[in-house]
């Protein structure tokens, strides 16, 4: 029996598979795609063999990020960290998917560096990341890791140096014609030769840690705008008094309805917004 005949008989003989409500088109397309990709499909396949293929393809099409859901066709698990997550369908276009992938990896790397700097500043005893640049912005000498850099290092000088250095590095990276080379350039960007190991595993670890770092940086910003201190100090305060120092009981910004006093005395929420908007926000 040919594969086409077997597929036709299977669709008629196994209505329970075809009548499932959950993404039948997705499963069917996966079966056809896998069948076309296989070069050694025997002509004498029986219904049990085809049923096994359909079962395997159904399992492969499930989205790991949400049990019971199915991955879209364009997320086939080939990209590092692909868990079938795209509820808005932003990656339907192959061009946009490649751009999103490149942007995500670069943002992941920036976020991991940011988390390391935010935590390192505070853990080494040089104050928190919020207060660190304020003295220089006020006209005092710039410092780095406790070292006075002198009056020559000003905000415009630092901005110019960052633009020049990062512009050069990003220009070199972005000059690669292929997207894979822009995301994973290697060469001078891999001085320790880490890519010689299990590169696929390294890519997966990087994207996982990078996504966590992006969430962490966002949390540090929100936390700092409320408590006006760093994440280490906030963690120590919570550990010392977990029942009173947490997002629900000591934070009138994150959950304002639990703190009606911020809307009391006819303030119209002015106290809430005064606490919610960071003091360094433009116009405040």
């Amino acid at each position: 029996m040919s594969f086409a005949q077997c597929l036709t008989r299977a669709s008629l003989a196994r209505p329970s598979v075809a009548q499932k409500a959950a993404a039948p088109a997705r499963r069917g397309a996966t079966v056809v795609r896998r069948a076309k990709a296989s070069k050694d499909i025997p002509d004498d396949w029986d219904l049990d063999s085809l049923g096994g293929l359909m079962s395997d393809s159904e399992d492969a099409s499930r989205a790991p990020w949400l049990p019971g859901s199915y991955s879209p066709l364009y997320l086939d698990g080939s990209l590092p960290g692909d868990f079938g997550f795209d509820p808005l369908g932003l990656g339907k276009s192959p061009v946009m998917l490649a751009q999103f992938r490149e942007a995500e990896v670069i943002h992941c790397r920036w976020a991991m560096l940011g988390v390391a700097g935010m935590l390192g500043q505070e853990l080494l005893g040089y104050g928190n990341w919020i207060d660190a640049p304020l003295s220089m912005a006020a006209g005092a000498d710039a410092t780095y890791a406790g070292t006075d850099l002198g009056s020559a290092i000003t905000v415009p000088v630092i901005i110019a140096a960052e633009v020049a250095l990062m512009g050069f590095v990003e220009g070199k990276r972005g000059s690669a014609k292929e997207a894979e080379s822009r995301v994973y350039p290697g060469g001078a960007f891999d001085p320790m030769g880490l890519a010689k190991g299990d590169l696929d595993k390294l890519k997966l670890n990087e994207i996982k840690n990078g996504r966590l770092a992006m969430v962490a940086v966002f949390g540090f910003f929100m936390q700092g705008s409320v408590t006006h201190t760093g994440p280490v100090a906030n963690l120590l305060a919570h550990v010392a008094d977990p029942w009173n120092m947490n997002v629900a009981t000591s934070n009138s910004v994150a959950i304002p309805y639990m703190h009606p006093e911020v809307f009391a005395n006819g303030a119209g929420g002015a106290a809430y917004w005064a606490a919610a908007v960071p003091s360094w926000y433009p116009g405040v």
Side-chain angles (χ1 to χ4, degrees):
M1 181 184 297
S2 68
F3 177 76
Q5 292 173 324
C6 196
L7 181 61
T8 303
R9 288 188 58 184
S11 63
L12 298 175
R14 299 184 62 179
S16 59
V17 175
Q19 292 174 3
K20 283 186 178 179
R26 173 69 180 92
R27 295 197 300 273
T30 304
V31 173
V32 173
R33 187 174 62 220
R34 285 197 168 193
K36 289 181 178 179
S38 178
K39 298 180 180 179
D40 299 313
I41 299 178
D43 292 332
D44 58 347
W45 261 26
D46 54 19
L47 292 179
D48 290 336
S49 300
L50 180 59
L53 175 61
M54 296 179 70
S55 178
D56 291 343
S57 65
E58 180 176 352
D59 292 340
S61 65
R62 293 186 181 275
W65 77 276
L66 182 62
S69 65
Y70 290 86
S71 302
L73 286 169
Y74 49 86
L75 296 180
D76 55 5
S78 60
L79 296 176
D82 176 11
F83 298 102
F85 179 81
D86 189 15
L88 299 180
L90 300 177
K92 288 181 179 179
S93 167
V95 175
M96 293 303 301
L97 182 60
Q99 292 180 357
F100 286 141
R101 178 209 179 192
E102 180 179 349
E104 181 185 35
V105 173
I106 301 304
H107 280 79
C108 282
R109 292 167 183 169
W110 276 112
M112 288 187 284
L113 288 173
V115 168
M118 290 173 170
L119 293 177
Q121 170 79 12
E122 196 169 356
L123 289 171
L124 293 175
Y126 299 121
N128 60 62
W129 68 273
I130 302 173
D131 298 332
L134 295 182
S135 60
M136 181 183 64
D141 289 353
T143 60
Y144 183 80
T147 302
D148 192 331
L149 300 180
S151 58
I153 306 300
T154 61
V155 174
V157 171
I158 290 179
I159 293 176
E162 289 180 347
V163 170
L165 292 174
M166 291 308 304
F168 173 76
V169 173
E170 281 296 286
K172 294 289 288 183
R173 185 187 67 82
S175 63
K177 295 182 179 180
E178 297 184 3
E180 189 72 13
S181 299
R182 293 195 300 271
V183 179
Y184 304 104
F189 293 92
D190 186 23
M192 301 180 66
L194 299 178
K196 296 178 181 179
D198 189 345
L199 188 57
D200 290 337
K201 182 178 181 180
L202 291 174
K203 290 179 180 179
L204 180 60
N205 290 341
E206 179 187 43
I207 200 71
K208 284 184 175 181
N209 285 280
R211 288 167 179 170
L212 179 61
M214 288 191 286
V215 175
V217 168
F218 179 77
F220 290 173
F221 268 94
M222 296 300 101
Q223 194 175 44
S225 69
V226 174
T227 64
H228 307 291
T229 188
V232 177
N234 286 317
L235 175 61
L236 294 177
H238 171 70
V239 172
D241 189 7
W243 294 107
N244 293 314
M245 300 298 294
N246 56 68
V247 68
T249 60
S250 63
N251 189 336
S252 62
V253 176
I255 312 181
Y257 60 82
M258 293 189 65
H259 306 269
E261 66 274 8
V262 301
F263 299 100
N265 303 323
Y272 165 73
W273 288 112
V277 180
S279 58
W280 42 261
Y281 192 81
V284 176

